[in-house]
Amino acid sequence: MKLSNYTKEFGTNLRLAYPVIVGMLGHTVVQLIDNIMVGQLGTAELAAVSLGNSFVFVAMSLGIGFSTAITPMIAESFGAKNHNKVRHIFVHGLILCFGLGLILALLVLWAQPLLSQMGQPQEVVALSKPYLFWVALSLLPLVGFQGLRQFAEGLFQTRLAMYATLLGNVINVLLNYLLIFGLYGFPELGVEGAALGTLFSRWAMVLFMAINVKNKKSFKRYNRKLLRVKLRKSLFKRIISLGFPSALQMFFEVTFFTSAIWMSGMLGKNPQAANQISLNLTSMTYMVALGLGVTAMIRVGNEKGRQDFISLRRVAISTFFLVFLMSSLFCLFFVLTHDLLPWLYLDGNATEISSDVLTVVEIASDLILIAAFFQIADGLQAVVLGALRGIQDVIIPAFLIFISYGAIGFPISFYLGLKTEWGASGIWMGLLTGLTLSALLLLLRFQYLSQKLDS
């Protein structure tokens, strides 16, 4: 097939993807804002945000990963023009998401004492405890928001979540500004103020989505008499059967990166702060890949509902090409700017820059350079995974991700990071290995399944 058959899909892919990318970036920008503002307080405070978020990220991965089961089910039913089924999936999915958000919040609060038993710097642990408490509570609105978001995106309505996230960011910036530094009569809460800003901004996002889903014309046929929808055990089981492996996929990946936070903390507060800077930057580029992954999931799911498997393969491969091109640009950007980017997070205008700040910048520059070379693998594996979710293939991909990250990538990170002089750079070499293997295995899996469907 000619290359133009794939590139002609770029316009449709980008129109669907850009609101998702902006929305996804919104979650990361919340962390970026927290990191930049908290970083002005000191390296220990920045490390505390990193440690607190490491617990929340693991729980968040389960909630967001689970919610992704809703989109391909909605997209397939919408493609088959089964609007009653769309309505039932929406109600059942929303109940499961809010229920799971509550459970995850309670589990993180229950696990809070583990902060003191992980070999982390005590100064960092003391600062992270109040931060973790409030951010843990924000898991309930976050996962509930995902339920509303995945429903809308399954119907090709990708802009709504973008607007909600932009609103959440505005509220988060404002509250951070007031509560971290104690301005205009507000209490000076430091790290804890950043967490409260996150909590209130996420509830605002849920409220915005709920109002729009209720009132927007394109959703009217699906949101009438929701309380009269008869709950069916079989549909709950179907969503869970797809959502649980999807949650495991994201859990394995996030835990893989979270382990880098914990291991870098065992090396000291400066490697942990440097790890947080690099992780936050790479998370932002990863959101672009995730947005394209959602596009692949929506379009592949829709083609599956229409039983058009030739188009299914074409639109999926077009997203692979697109993410390859964009990830290559990110790779080049990181290579050219790896020495400059760490200064975004730290105060370089002081008369005398502390040795801690200089050490963090040096370590972070090395990590960003390593991150440059896993941009392509990270982008590809995210988009291929979205295409596989679109055809509702979730169990085998979860196993492949576990092998790549848990069985191969993590041991390499542990050995090079903690048993050699490579330190934090060794940890990230393990990340590079795991991501590259994951991208290769998932590509082979999609190639096998798509050819099987097309035959």
Side-chain angles (χ1 to χ4, degrees), residues 75-381:
E76 181 182 358
S77 299
F78 184 62
K81 302 187 184 304
N82 190 341
H83 302 298
N84 187 53
K85 189 174 181 180
V86 169
R87 184 163 164 263
H88 279 75
I89 294 170
F90 170 48
V91 172
H92 287 70
L94 205 58
I95 291 171
L96 287 171
C97 283
F98 273 102
L100 182 58
L102 177 60
I103 292 169
L104 290 172
L106 294 174
L107 284 174
V108 171
L109 292 175
W110 174 77
Q112 193 177 32
L114 291 175
L115 286 170
S116 303
Q117 303 172 29
M118 297 176 61
Q120 307 293 307
Q122 287 306 306
E123 179 186 8
V124 174
V125 171
L127 289 167
S128 67
K129 286 184 177 179
Y131 179 86
L132 178 59
F133 176 81
W134 295 112
V135 177
L137 293 181
S138 76
L139 285 167
L140 173 58
L142 176 64
V143 183
F145 167 78
Q146 284 297 128
L148 292 162
R149 172 190 194 144
Q150 301 294 343
F151 161 69
E153 290 178 351
L155 297 173
F156 289 68
Q157 300 291 323
T158 57
R159 294 188 182 185
L160 199 55
M162 176 185 73
Y163 296 138
T165 306
L166 291 174
L167 171 66
N169 281 337
V170 171
I171 293 172
N172 185 64
V173 171
L174 178 62
L175 291 178
N176 275 1
Y177 184 68
L178 297 174
L179 295 174
I180 292 175
F181 305 110
L183 301 173
Y184 302 106
F186 284 82
E188 184 178 350
L189 299 176
V191 171
E192 192 172 3
L196 283 168
T198 299
L199 174 63
F200 288 118
S201 68
R202 285 176 175 169
W203 273 115
M205 289 160 61
V206 170
L207 184 60
F208 179 90
M209 285 293 291
I211 291 172
N212 278 275
V213 167
K214 182 178 184 298
N215 296 326
K216 196 172 173 64
K217 185 178 179 181
S218 55
F219 297 128
K220 285 294 185 182
R221 64 169 56 173
Y222 307 117
N223 61 27
R224 291 194 301 266
K225 301 178 181 178
L226 293 181
L227 295 178
R228 295 187 182 181
V229 170
K230 185 178 180 181
L231 300 182
R232 300 203 306 267
K233 183 179 178 180
S234 59
L235 189 49
F236 278 128
K237 288 177 66 175
R238 177 61 180 158
I239 297 173
I240 292 171
S241 68
L242 284 175
F244 181 67
S246 296
L248 286 181
Q249 292 168 5
M250 192 167 285
F251 172 77
F252 293 146
E253 181 168 1
V254 170
T255 303
F256 186 36
F257 277 87
T258 300
S259 70
I261 297 175
W262 295 336
M263 286 187 283
S264 62
M266 299 169 97
L267 298 173
K269 71 175 184 180
N270 290 335
Q272 190 173 52
N275 182 84
Q276 177 65 6
I277 290 171
S278 308
L279 185 60
N280 190 241
L281 287 168
T282 55
S283 295
M284 295 187 72
T285 58
Y286 182 61
M287 293 304 110
V288 176
L290 274 185
L292 288 170
V294 170
T295 298
M297 180 168 59
I298 294 169
R299 297 197 68 192
V300 167
N302 190 254
E303 298 298 340
K304 183 173 182 287
R306 295 170 55 195
Q307 298 290 295
D308 188 345
F309 299 118
I310 295 176
S311 293
L312 182 154
R313 182 173 166 82
R314 186 185 69 254
V315 299
I317 293 176
S318 73
T319 60
F320 304 165
F321 277 141
L322 186 55
V323 79
F324 176 82
L325 294 173
M326 298 184 76
S327 297
S328 298
L329 292 175
F330 293 143
C331 175
L332 180 62
F333 173 73
F334 280 156
V335 168
L336 295 175
T337 61
H338 69 279
D339 288 326
L340 302 175
L341 291 172
W343 290 107
L344 291 173
Y345 296 78
L346 298 163
D347 185 4
N349 297 319
T351 305
E352 184 176 347
I353 300 174
S354 71
S355 60
D356 279 345
V357 169
L358 292 173
T359 300
V360 169
V361 170
E362 181 182 0
I363 297 171
S365 296
D366 291 339
L367 299 186
I368 294 167
L369 192 57
I370 296 171
F373 292 100
F374 67 55
Q375 291 300 301
I376 295 172
D378 201 16
L380 277 173
Q381 63 94 27

Side-chain angles (χ1 to χ4, degrees), residues 423-441:
S425 293
I427 294 171
W428 278 59
M429 288 301 294
L431 298 180
L432 172 61
T433 305
L435 288 168
T436 303
L437 181 60
S438 173
L440 177 61
L441 292 177

